[in-house]
Amino acid sequence: MRNPRILAMGILFFLCTVLLSGCWNRIELNELAITSATSIDRKGEDWVVSFQVVIPSSISSGIGITGGGAGAPVNVYSTVGKTIREANSKSFFESPRKLYFAHNRVLIVSEETARRGLNPMLDVYLRNTDARETVDVLVTPGSSRKILEQMMQIQKISGDGIREINILEAKHTSVLPEVKMYQLAMNLASDSASALLPEVYVSGKSDASSLKVFESTTLPAKIKLGRVAVLKKDRMVGWLSRKEALGVAFIRNDVKNTVLTLACPGDQANNLTVVVGPSNTEQKPSLKDGHMNVKVHIKGSAVLTQSDCASVDFYKPEVIAQMEKAIEQEILRYADSGWKAIQKLQTDAVGFADMAHRKYRKEWRTWKKDWDAVFSEIKLEVSADITITNVGLSNQPLNVNQLREGK
């Protein structure tokens, strides 16, 4: 007779394998609507949520330069609700597929929405598991849905294209930051209670929402990045120009690489261009008579990438020293412009509140009650130290006339 215990264990094992087999809650790919970008607008007290849904058949056919005979690579539609999640749920009334946000790349927020408050949006993205907290957040001055409707050159899906533009800009010019949803929430929840978001807008008199635009070598409208939106608590309070934004980036230690154009040494009529970066910013706070002041020192390297300076010898140490001084002065002008702009907006976009909390805990107990007033009285002292590491293969600009004459 068989051992009852062994028999019982065998039956239990068999039942477990039956329960573990199969996918009881599977969703087939043809049941999903893959969302590549979303946008949020306001209509009165209602929320308008727009979705850029990928059309796989059109992407596989390709729409390149000739169009390939395929339809639009994406479809854009909007839903309206008293809350963002209610608007999302209304997609089931018109979409034959369930929205799938795992591939959502960007979230475009209208300026009106940002000025009225982003707390509901942050709550949705941090509360629900189906929302991506790594999505890039951008602000547009007009309708955010219009951004989703635009076609882009080279990139078939504009949601992916916007994200790639944002990443490349932040990497190579450092004027506009790339801000993900969780970073936005962390910045607004910090002691400084502020954040910066890049602007995206449609440049052109028309739009590029039809495949007909690919019949021409130039699109009538293009998606571009512009200024920087400044947020205080959960509301947008103003814009920074590109010059001001780069100055703030230098103070915040957010500059990876950037491009500066300066007048030639001793020749104001011609220019030269250098790439600065990476740079490192050191912030040193000090306390005097109960007031906090901050010394900022920016240190980095630069490479000469173009010169129109006909009579300048870049192999001379004194010329290099003069150029380094000019670059440092230009950085100081950018930093001063950015500092004045954020002080005018009364927004600690450089994060000095976090530094004050760490450094002066006793004073922070009083400062935090009215940090705006404390921040407005901070005196900033900026210095820069730039070293030119490379001037290229020639000490003078190329002149084909001199080459032809054998000079």
Side-chain angles (χ1 to χ4, degrees):
M1 184 176 180
R2 296 181 180 179
N3 192 326
R5 175 179 289 184
I6 296 176
L7 182 62
M9 290 180 63
I11 295 173
L12 180 61
F13 177 78
F14 174 76
L15 291 175
C16 288
T17 56
V18 171
L19 292 174
L20 291 174
S21 63
C23 299
W24 62 272
N25 65 339
R26 75 183 188 278
I27 300 177
E28 299 293 341
L29 223 97
N30 58 8
E31 298 174 1
L32 297 176
I34 299 174
T35 306
S36 58
T38 52
S39 69
I40 299 179
D41 292 286
R42 295 300 297 270
K43 183 179 180 182
E45 295 302 316
D46 292 333
W47 296 81
V48 182
V49 183
S50 300
F51 312 96
Q52 185 185 85
V53 178
V54 177
I55 310 299
S57 59
S58 297
I59 295 175
S60 61
S61 300
I63 61 169
I65 297 175
T66 60
V74 296
N75 177 255
V76 179
Y77 68 94
S78 302
T79 55
V80 182
K82 294 181 180 179
T83 66
I84 296 175
R85 293 301 289 189
E86 181 185 352
N88 285 0
S89 67
K90 290 186 177 180
S91 65
F92 294 108
F93 289 95
E94 57 183 288
S95 174
R97 298 186 179 186
K98 182 181 183 297
L99 291 173
Y100 183 66
F101 293 99
H103 294 282
N104 192 31
R105 291 293 180 262
V106 294
L107 171 64
I108 313 298
V109 181
S110 68
E111 180 178 351
E112 180 188 0
T113 303
R115 289 188 181 275
R116 293 175 64 173
L118 297 180
N119 274 337
M121 180 192 77
L122 294 170
D123 180 81
V124 167
Y125 273 83
L126 299 180
R127 181 182 297 275
N128 298 282
T129 57
D130 61 338
R132 289 177 60 90
E133 68 277 5
T134 56
V135 63
D136 285 359
V137 186
L138 301 95
V139 177
T140 187
S143 166
S144 61
R145 174 187 166 119
K146 185 178 180 180
I147 303 295
L148 304 189
E149 294 174 344
Q150 305 305 302
M151 299 293 175
M152 292 187 69
Q153 66 274 28
I154 304 177
Q155 195 77 16
K156 295 178 181 180
I157 304 172
S158 60
D160 288 340
I162 294 171
R163 180 174 179 270
E164 292 303 318
I165 291 174
N166 198 185
I167 292 174
L168 286 175
E169 188 284 325
K171 180 179 179 181
H172 294 288
T173 67
S174 302
V175 176
L176 282 70
E178 182 204 1
V179 183
K180 300 185 184 299
M181 182 64 70
Y182 75 90
Q183 294 172 326
L184 172 62
M186 291 174 61
N187 291 337
L188 294 178
S190 67
D191 291 321
S192 62
S194 65
L196 301 174
L197 292 177
E199 176 196 22
V200 60
Y201 68 101
V202 178
S203 172
K205 297 181 180 179
S206 182
D207 63 19
S209 58
S210 171
L211 284 178
K212 293 182 179 180
V213 299
F214 291 106
E215 296 176 358
S216 173
T217 56
T218 303
L219 298 182
K222 295 181 181 179
I223 297 176
K224 292 185 178 181
L225 299 182
R227 303 165 292 176
V228 171
V230 181
L231 277 70
K232 184 177 182 179
K233 295 182 179 177
D234 75 317
R235 298 176 184 271
M236 178 180 165
V237 294
W239 295 99
L240 295 179
S241 68
R242 293 185 182 183
K243 179 179 180 180
E244 295 166 346
L246 182 56
V248 171
F250 270 115
I251 297 173
R252 287 168 55 99
N253 194 27
D254 283 344
V255 174
K256 301 178 181 67
N257 289 284
T258 194
V259 179
L260 299 179
T261 298
L262 315 166
C264 294
D267 183 7
Q268 298 296 317
N270 293 302
N271 299 310
L272 57 85
T273 298
V274 296
V275 174
V276 178
S279 69
N280 180 64
T281 301
E282 184 180 6
Q283 300 175 349
K284 288 185 177 181
S286 61
L287 194 62
K288 184 177 181 180
D289 300 328
H291 297 283
M292 189 179 82
N293 300 316
V294 180
K295 288 185 178 180
V296 170
H297 183 66
I298 303 166
K299 187 175 183 179
S301 59
V303 175
L304 178 66
T305 57
Q306 182 179 346
S307 169
D308 298 329
C309 312
S311 59
V312 177
D313 186 352
F314 293 111
Y315 290 167
K316 293 183 177 180
E318 59 270 22
V319 172
I320 296 300
Q322 188 177 355
M323 287 174 54
E324 290 173 343
K325 185 66 176 179
I327 296 171
E328 292 166 0
Q329 292 300 316
E330 186 72 2
I331 291 175
L332 296 184
R333 281 190 286 269
Y334 275 90
D336 182 65
S337 176
W339 175 249
K340 289 180 179 178
I342 61 174
Q343 278 206 317
K344 184 178 180 180
L345 293 173
Q346 296 183 339
T347 304
D348 182 11
V350 289
F352 283 173
D354 304 271
M355 181 173 58
H357 190 178
R358 293 192 304 268
K359 184 72 174 179
Y360 306 110
R361 292 183 176 273
K362 182 179 178 181
E363 289 78 5
W364 176 252
R365 298 171 187 172
T366 303
W367 290 348
K368 67 179 181 180
K369 298 176 183 177
D370 191 7
W371 176 248
D372 289 344
V374 176
F375 178 74
S376 63
E377 295 179 358
I378 293 177
K379 293 183 180 179
L380 184 71
E381 183 180 335
V382 185
S383 59
D385 181 13
I386 300 298
T387 302
I388 295 178
T389 58
N390 195 343
V391 295
L393 301 178
S394 175
N395 68 333
Q396 291 185 347
L398 176 66
N399 189 317
V400 293
N401 294 326
Q402 292 180 356
L403 291 176
R404 187 177 63 253
E405 293 172 1
K407 297 182 179 179

